[in-house]
Amino acid sequence: MSTKRPVAVALAGALCLITTACAGSSTDQDNASKAAAPGYPVNLDTCGVPEKFTKTPERVVLMNGASVAEVSTLLALGLGDKIVANQQSYGMSEVPGRAKAIKALPNGDVKLNDAYDIPREAMIGLRPDLVLSTTSYGFDEKNGFATREQLKQVGANTYVSPQGCDQDTSRMTIADSYTLLRDMGRIFHADDRAEKLIAASEKNIADVSAKVKGEKKPKVMVLFSNMAMGGNDFSSVVAKGIYNDILAKAGGSNAFENASKTSFADLSKEKVAATDVDALVVIGYNDPDPAAYAKKLLKEFPQWPAAKNKKYVALSDSMYLGPSNDLAVQKVAGMLHPDKV
């Protein structure tokens, strides 16, 4: 979803180069199957593929997928030490210290492919025991990636995050962030930590929603800053998905919800200019200054109520799948209803 990354990423029997490593992984898996660790096995079905975990994963690889949902979830659960290669980064976060913690993680020292992700041979060389991908794209052989079956053959479990099976995130809600937390909690035997995070998030969101209940719902334009995903001037405008759930709980509505049946709308400047936009939410994905982009838009469309009232907020990872949606709800509500929140 970045101007520096291909569009495919944004919407985002293996070759055994190291025979001994592959054989070793398989042997480890066989041994683990014979005697499951306490609290295991854990069985999950993800995108129709049954996954059986017999012990806590120790060599986790995170595919890029233009997301930080998976890496943020693992860090929130205190599992950063399990990660041997991470390709996820938004470059910023609403959680203090999160972006720095993500940057400090190992990247596996692999040469990425044209989709800015880990190709099949490099993935096998990392000897993972768990590979996480935001969508099924990360396991598509056509894209040069190791398939889930190929990874299973070398002893690695795989996981596709909620709503990622068909690469259509238009139905995603905050509940999917909780599903991701719960699944990781089960896999890593961190159920209690996951439930505490979910309960705290639910309480924060409920408190904010109660304060804005009954208020007029401003029409909000949500888009990624300095990003092109289509042919028009505004091709990264959000239409559907978890963003709308966050807006609703913050006492707002999406001005462009009906502009597309998919997650993103590809709009002309004329269409954007003709729409009453009461407020802006600009999402920074590896953009050092999304607030500057927001100010530029307000200047470009002075007829918007948002421009007249200088209503905008710049966010990053909290507006997407992950453990911090309550922060987005709070910040958006504070911008839309400052006298209530």
Side-chain angles (χ1 to χ4, degrees), residues 187-254:
I187 290 169
F188 288 91
H189 225 309
D191 308 68
D192 289 349
R193 275 178 280 173
E195 290 306 325
K196 282 179 184 175
L197 288 169
I198 291 167
S201 174
E202 287 178 330
K203 183 182 184 302
N204 290 344
I205 291 174
D207 288 348
V208 171
S209 293
K211 290 175 183 175
V212 299
K213 188 177 180 181
E215 295 296 308
K216 185 180 177 183
K217 296 182 178 180
K219 291 188 225 170
V220 185
M221 179 184 193
V222 182
L223 77 168
F224 284 78
S225 60
N226 292 305
M227 187 179 296
M229 293 195 293
N232 282 298
D233 292 325
F234 293 90
S235 55
S236 65
V237 176
V238 168
K240 290 176 172 60
I242 194 170
Y243 320 92
N244 291 2
D245 192 14
I246 290 169
L247 288 179
K249 287 177 170 62
S253 62
N254 189 337

Side-chain angles (χ1 to χ4, degrees), residues 53 57 59-61 128-132 156-159 184 187-188:
F53 296 83
R59 296 186 60 81
V60 184
V61 176
D129 56 12
L130 174 60
V131 181
L132 304 180
N157 286 104
T158 50
Y159 180 88
M184 293 303 110
I187 290 169
F188 288 91

Side-chain angles (χ1 to χ4, degrees), residues 37-290:
Y40 292 90
V42 169
N43 293 292
L44 282 178
D45 187 294
T46 157
C47 299
V49 177
E51 293 287 338
K52 182 177 182 178
F53 296 83
T54 55
K55 61 179 180 177
T56 303
E58 297 289 344
R59 296 186 60 81
V60 184
V61 176
L62 298 109
M63 304 287 283
N64 177 356
S67 173
V68 284
E70 294 73 27
V71 69
S72 297
T73 297
L74 292 188
L75 288 175
L77 290 169
L79 299 167
D81 62 329
K82 308 293 186 186
I83 300 169
V84 295
N86 169 56
Q87 292 302 329
Q88 298 188 343
S89 171
Y90 261 40
M92 60 187 70
S93 174
E94 276 70 74
V95 179
R98 170 80 48 80
K100 187 178 179 182
I102 290 174
K103 192 175 181 181
L105 291 170
N107 61 16
D109 294 322
V110 299
K111 184 179 180 183
L112 303 180
N113 59 16
D114 291 342
Y116 287 83
D117 223 329
I118 304 171
R120 179 176 55 250
E121 295 84 357
M123 177 65 79
I124 301 303
L126 289 168
R127 296 181 295 112
D129 56 12
L130 174 60
V131 181
L132 304 180
S133 180
T134 304
T135 70
S136 56
Y137 176 88
F139 299 118
D140 193 332
E141 194 167 29
K142 297 196 301 290
N143 302 322
F145 300 130
T147 67
R148 301 184 72 179
E149 182 58 36
Q150 288 166 349
L151 286 164
K152 187 176 184 179
Q153 288 176 15
V154 295
N157 286 104
T158 50
Y159 180 88
V160 178
S161 290
Q163 302 297 340
C165 299
D166 56 4
Q167 301 177 46
D168 176 13
T169 58
S170 64
R171 296 179 300 277
M172 189 182 284
T173 67
I174 294 171
D176 293 309
S177 293
Y178 299 152
T179 297
L180 177 57
L181 268 168
R182 281 199 176 97
D183 285 350
M184 293 303 110
R186 289 186 64 200
I187 290 169
F188 288 91
H189 225 309
D191 308 68
D192 289 349
R193 275 178 280 173
E195 290 306 325
K196 282 179 184 175
L197 288 169
I198 291 167
S201 174
E202 287 178 330
K203 183 182 184 302
N204 290 344
I205 291 174
D207 288 348
V208 171
S209 293
K211 290 175 183 175
V212 299
K213 188 177 180 181
E215 295 296 308
K216 185 180 177 183
K217 296 182 178 180
K219 291 188 225 170
V220 185
M221 179 184 193
V222 182
L223 77 168
F224 284 78
S225 60
N226 292 305
M227 187 179 296
M229 293 195 293
N232 282 298
D233 292 325
F234 293 90
S235 55
S236 65
V237 176
V238 168
K240 290 176 172 60
I242 194 170
Y243 320 92
N244 291 2
D245 192 14
I246 290 169
L247 288 179
K249 287 177 170 62
S253 62
N254 189 337
F256 296 96
E257 183 174 2
N258 297 319
S260 173
K261 291 181 180 178
T262 59
S263 297
F264 293 94
D266 188 6
L267 306 175
S268 67
K269 185 175 178 179
E270 289 73 24
K271 168 71 174 173
V272 171
T275 304
D276 279 335
V277 173
D278 296 316
L280 270 181
V281 173
V282 173
I283 304 170
Y285 173 69
N286 288 315
D287 180 350
D289 197 355

